[in-house]
Amino acid sequence: MGRAPCCDKANVKRGPWSPEEDATLRSYVERHGTGGNWISLPQKAGLKRCGKSCRLRWLNYLRPDIKHGGFTEEEDNIIFSLYKTIGSRWSVIASHLHGRTDNDVKNYWNTKLMKKIMAAGGSINTPLSNIQIANKLHHPSPSPSVTSPPAQIPVMKTEAAFFPVATLEPSFPYVSASSSSMTVDEGFRNGYINWIDEEICFEQAPAFFPELGFSSWTELLGGFMNDDSRTILWPNADAKQQGVYQSLYS
DNA sequence: AAGCGTTCCAACCGCGTGAGA
DNA sequence: TTCTCACGCGGTTGGAACGCT
């Protein structure tokens, strides 16, 4: 059984928005705000649209602070840098670009920037995402893979247990400066590890590898490697001082 | 000018999350 | 504690616009 639809599809208009609909929505939101409820907004505003559709139209197109037009080189650099650090978390990336939406950034990346970078000889190595790690737990495979997992894998609750990303943000970016990077073995020896939940690290980790599809910590950490494949993109020192990181093999 | 393939982006879809009942 | 429901997100799709032959 599928998910219940958010609205009556038969009675709502779909497809491109007309200028009249744009005007109606803009006028309504400017006068009344969203009221914290997009679902009921279309009816109040007199639009035959799904609430989700209204929300998307407003956020991605009608909002007054939206920046339209081409991306600057500075924006390119920010997107590329963040993508390499955190992967396809478009809303986070967009939050670093004033006036850009996640949809904008995602489209720009998929249609232009990625090709531009590849054409320039760049490599696009992203961290092994939280979802990918968690996906391995729930969908173990014999051979490790760093390709994107199938969409919509229900792993989010597990993800939080593995990677306390929320604890780290907004100062989460890994540092890759040579002074802050080290080999995997050094990392373990020095007791910097890890992002992984304490209970799992200390009590369950060794048993996890076959199930996760990894044969070692090194393999798991491969997704966080620098381009030279020998050093880790390492979390910053602040996070360590905050006690977020604990020794695995101390 | 017509036909075809490609690119781009607005919009949709379905899921996880979190607030509140 | 459990359930419900709206929100926000990332992935995907459809079709208009564009470019090439």
Side-chain angles (χ1 to χ4, degrees), chain A residues 36-111:
Chain A
N37 188 343
W38 283 105
I39 299 297
S40 62
L41 186 146
Q43 195 180 7
K44 291 178 187 168
L47 286 162
K48 289 190 184 317
R49 288 276 180 175
C50 172
K52 275 183 142 185
S53 179
C54 292
R55 175 185 161 271
L56 211 62
R57 186 63 179 170
W58 174 257
L59 291 178
N60 288 345
Y61 194 81
L62 297 176
R63 249 192 315 158
D65 57 339
I66 290 287
K67 195 198 283 183
H68 297 287
F71 283 69
T72 65
E73 198 165 321
E74 188 189 352
E75 287 176 316
D76 284 0
N77 290 334
I78 292 170
I79 294 168
F80 182 46
S81 161
L82 286 169
Y83 185 87
K84 289 206 45 149
T85 305
I86 62 174
S88 59
R89 299 178 65 193
W90 304 118
S91 60
V92 176
I93 295 174
S95 72
H96 287 78
L97 302 168
H98 182 68
R100 301 293 188 184
T101 69
D102 56 343
N103 210 34
D104 247 357
V105 174
K106 178 173 57 183
N107 282 334
Y108 180 60
W109 173 264
N110 287 332
T111 59

Side-chain angles (χ1 to χ4, degrees), chain A residues 164 167-168 192 194 198 237-247:
Chain A
T167 313
L168 301 174
Y192 283 85
N194 56 71
E198 183 181 9
D238 286 345
K240 184 191 165 198
Q241 286 166 2
Q242 288 162 15
V244 172
Y245 300 95
Q246 299 170 3
S247 169

Side-chain angles (χ1 to χ4, degrees), chain A residues 32 36 99 144 146:
Chain A
H32 303 99
V146 292

Side-chain angles (χ1 to χ4, degrees), chain A residues 141-163:
Chain A
S141 60
S143 57
S145 165
V146 292
T147 56
S148 297
Q152 321 297 5
I153 296 293
V155 297
M156 301 309 285
K157 285 183 177 172
T158 307
E159 174 191 347
F162 272 75
F163 292 86

